[in-house]
Amino acid sequence: MKTIIEPFRIKAVEPIRMTTAAERREKLRGAHYNLFLLHSRDVMIDLLTDSGTGAMSAAQWAAMMQGDESYAGSPSYYRFHEAVHHLMPFRHIIPTHQGRAAEAILFSLLGGKGRHIPSNTHFDTTRGNIEATGARAHDLLIAEGRDPAADHPFKGNMDIARLREFMAEHGDNVPCVMLTITNNAGGGQPVSLENIRAVAEIAHEFGKPFFIDGCRFAENAWFIKQREPGQQGRSIGAIVRDCFSVADGMTMSAKKDAFANIGGWLALNDDALAERARARLIQTEGFPTYGGLAGRDLEAIAQGLHEIIDEDYLRYRIRSNEYLIERLDALGIPTVRPAGGHAVFIDARAWLPHIAPLQYPGQALACALYEMGGIRSCEIGTVMFGRQPDGTEQPAMMDLVRLAMPRRTYTQSHVDYVIEVFAELARIKNDLRGYEITHEPEMMRHFTCHFRPLE
Ligand code: F0G
């Protein structure tokens, strides 16, 4: 059969509140045109993030009842540990309340003024945690990854030649090398196993540890299985283990590829570093066998890790994004190609060329999607990345709008509705106007800044 159905049935539902365009216009003004400031009950299709928004399975809810809430040594921790260790065989696995907490601990130990940390593309919280210590975060993505239209099977790959130069230039001031799989900020594009191994090799050649930001490891492994020569006959679990076996540690948000609503971990092989990380953890998160989570959260993660590597799920997951991209393509809407793992990214700069990058074409599109159809998306462009450490403003590498797909949450008819809203928007796109920022905090402005539409 050609039709790839959702490989699940629905056992519990959440109602969606229908709203009118007039009502949404009002709500948008009230939220200062920042979609993060909306009440989610005023959103019909929420594609703001795929983080913590997935639907848990019956087996996960059942596992949660087994949650043991002991402060120390809970069996839930050991089940969590076993499930993680099965896929990511690190010596130390330290639970945290989410991915950014793992990043904060890691970079509090490895960051600091004068340090430089390369990655393919750092996610915004990773960058924030690095820069908060005075260190600098560098993105060394391959050129194809910076061109939304370029076709390449692994657009999340690190530029190996640039990494080598970078290591030679910054030498002792590089405390570690990172790699984000899949590359969220660059369109959810995968990194090949070959590239993961090459990055590990260079880091090790220079005597530096190599860490993976593994938030979407299962989607990345699915792409490796589909696209990398020699990987087709292998299980997702085996590919995942290969990816992590060359790393010295990882940060993880269990809100993505662990099907959990909250959680994360920091994993390390270095005993001394792990000891310091645990000391930090006790200060800021909790005792090392719960790390800011309830025992039931650890159970949900353990069960979620078994489910996420299911090939029927991954096939449906990635195919849903391809379906949306094919339909948008037919409407002449430029997207980041090929489809990424967790989201579809619209190239707002290319689609709305009459709006200059410093007038935030991505924000203009995101606001229009909400007003027209009650769809909440997220600008990933000059609003998010345009502000420089010295306070000046520059266009980001790209102005994208991300339609992030919560896991197992929306059905094909929701996606068809999204396509219809885009078709309507295509008719009026030349009337869309840019925005200016009227108020912004010092860091991570996109979450809370206020906008004003330009005349
Ligand atoms: N790394 C990547 C690649 C991420 O996508 C995220 C979160 C984090 C780290 C931080 O994890 O949220 O558990 O603290 N990304 C979400 C998103 C928020 O919408 O893309 P967290």
Side-chain angles (χ1 to χ4, degrees):
M1 293 297 155
K2 279 212 306 292
T3 307
I4 295 173
I5 61 172
E6 285 90 357
F8 48 81
R9 291 181 299 194
I10 295 167
K11 199 191 271 288
V13 297
E14 272 183 288
I16 293 174
R17 195 175 76 83
M18 299 297 160
T19 53
T20 63
E23 196 180 330
R24 293 191 292 266
R25 206 165 300 131
E26 210 40 50
K27 300 290 180 192
L28 197 54
R29 187 174 321 131
H32 305 282
Y33 302 92
N34 185 334
L35 302 172
F36 282 100
L37 303 182
L38 287 171
H39 291 212
S40 62
R41 70 185 295 274
D42 300 326
V43 175
M44 284 163 54
I45 308 270
D46 204 346
L47 308 182
L48 183 65
T49 180
D50 64 318
S51 180
T53 51
M56 290 213 297
S57 65
Q60 279 180 295
W61 284 109
M64 285 182 82
M65 282 305 290
Q66 316 249 11
D68 179 307
E69 305 303 342
S70 303
Y71 187 89
S74 158
S76 300
Y77 167 74
Y78 292 103
R79 278 191 283 272
F80 157 83
H81 185 279
E82 193 189 327
V84 177
H85 193 265
H86 175 67
L87 292 171
M88 296 121 181
F90 293 111
R91 287 171 58 79
H92 303 276
I93 296 163
I94 302 169
T96 59
H97 83 276
Q98 38 182 102
R100 66 197 71 185
E103 294 164 0
I105 292 171
L106 182 65
F107 297 117
S108 73
L109 301 176
L110 297 181
K113 222 173 157 41
R115 302 256 163 112
H116 297 271
I117 301 174
S119 184
N120 46 354
T121 314
H122 292 280
F123 183 64
D124 58 349
T125 59
T126 322
R127 176 177 300 279
N129 275 304
I130 289 171
E131 290 179 349
T133 71
R136 284 199 54 198
H138 300 263
D139 298 336
L140 308 182
L141 188 64
I142 57 167
E144 290 89 337
R146 284 179 268 123
D147 174 2
D151 208 8
H152 185 287
F154 294 102
K155 287 173 83 169
N157 280 357
M158 181 94 93
D159 184 330
I160 296 297
R162 275 181 74 204
L163 177 63
R164 189 175 282 287
E165 283 166 25
F166 183 92
M167 297 302 283
E169 185 188 339
H170 293 289
D172 283 349
N173 291 323
V174 181
C176 64
V177 175
M178 292 223 35
L179 201 52
T180 311
I181 66 168
T182 57
N183 184 25
N184 181 5
Q189 297 294 322
V191 181
S192 70
L193 185 53
E194 185 189 22
N195 193 256
I196 292 172
R197 287 177 170 149
V199 170
E201 229 175 84
I202 293 176
H204 295 152
E205 192 183 308
F206 285 83
K208 305 299 176 183
F210 165 51
F211 298 112
I212 295 179
D213 173 341
C215 292
R216 300 177 179 86
F217 72 89
E219 290 166 6
N220 200 77
W222 175 259
F223 284 119
I224 289 175
K225 182 171 166 119
Q226 301 309 303
R227 297 179 185 171
E228 193 155 345
Q231 299 299 322
Q232 283 65 43
R234 308 190 61 216
S235 75
I236 296 295
I239 294 171
V240 170
R241 277 185 288 277
D242 277 0
C243 294
F244 289 96
S245 66
V246 295
D248 302 287
M250 71 181 292
T251 56
M252 175 72 188
S253 169
K255 302 172 75 169
K256 284 83 169 176
D257 273 0
F259 280 134
N261 298 128
I262 196 70
W265 63 84
L266 171 64
L268 298 165
N269 279 338
D270 181 323
D271 296 344
L273 193 62
E275 185 166 60
R276 292 170 64 210
R278 287 201 175 94
R280 272 264 159 188
L281 184 86
I282 292 173
Q283 253 175 36
T284 58
E285 293 278 294
F287 190 74
T289 61
Y290 74 87
L293 294 170
R296 55 180 168 271
D297 300 325
L298 294 166
E299 296 281 357
I301 295 169
Q303 176 61 28
L305 286 175
H306 293 301
E307 295 175 12
I308 201 84
I309 57 173
D310 176 66
E311 297 202 7
D312 290 331
Y313 160 73
L314 288 168
R315 180 178 299 107
Y316 133 82
R317 170 87 174 148
I318 304 305
R319 178 59 203 148
S320 321
N321 293 343
E322 287 168 357
Y323 173 81
L324 178 51
I325 281 203
E326 285 164 11
R327 298 305 187 280
L328 294 177
D329 195 34
L331 293 169
I333 297 169
T335 54
V336 175
R337 313 292 299 272
H342 67 297
V344 166
F345 291 72
I346 317 297
D347 184 350
R349 192 181 289 175
W351 200 44
L352 306 174
H354 61 288
I355 302 178
L358 292 180
Q359 297 179 354
Y360 315 124
Q363 189 63 22
L365 175 55
C367 286
L369 276 171
Y370 175 71
E371 191 179 320
M372 171 85 69
I375 299 162
R376 179 156 68 170
S377 57
C378 184
E379 192 262 11
I380 300 206
T382 304
V383 175
M384 193 180 271
F385 299 117
R387 205 180 133 125
Q388 306 303 305
D390 65 3
T392 60
E393 173 131 359
Q394 276 174 28
M397 199 161 70
M398 303 185 253
D399 277 297
L400 304 177
V401 168
R402 184 181 75 168
L403 307 175
M405 298 299 168
R407 293 172 180 74
R408 306 189 291 207
T409 302
Y410 292 111
T411 64
Q412 185 169 347
S413 84
H414 294 114
V415 174
D416 286 335
Y417 171 82
V418 171
I419 293 159
E420 190 181 338
V421 172
F422 268 100
E424 286 303 309
L425 265 188
R427 275 186 244 284
I428 60 144
K429 79 180 185 88
N430 292 333
D431 300 334
L432 298 182
R433 291 287 164 266
Y435 283 80
E436 65 178 337
I437 291 178
T438 56
H439 166 78
E440 64 181 29
E442 257 184 46
M443 284 189 75
M444 301 212 183
R445 65 179 183 181
H446 56 286
F447 290 122
T448 55
C449 67
H450 294 178
F451 298 89
R452 181 168 44 216
L454 293 169
E455 290 311 316

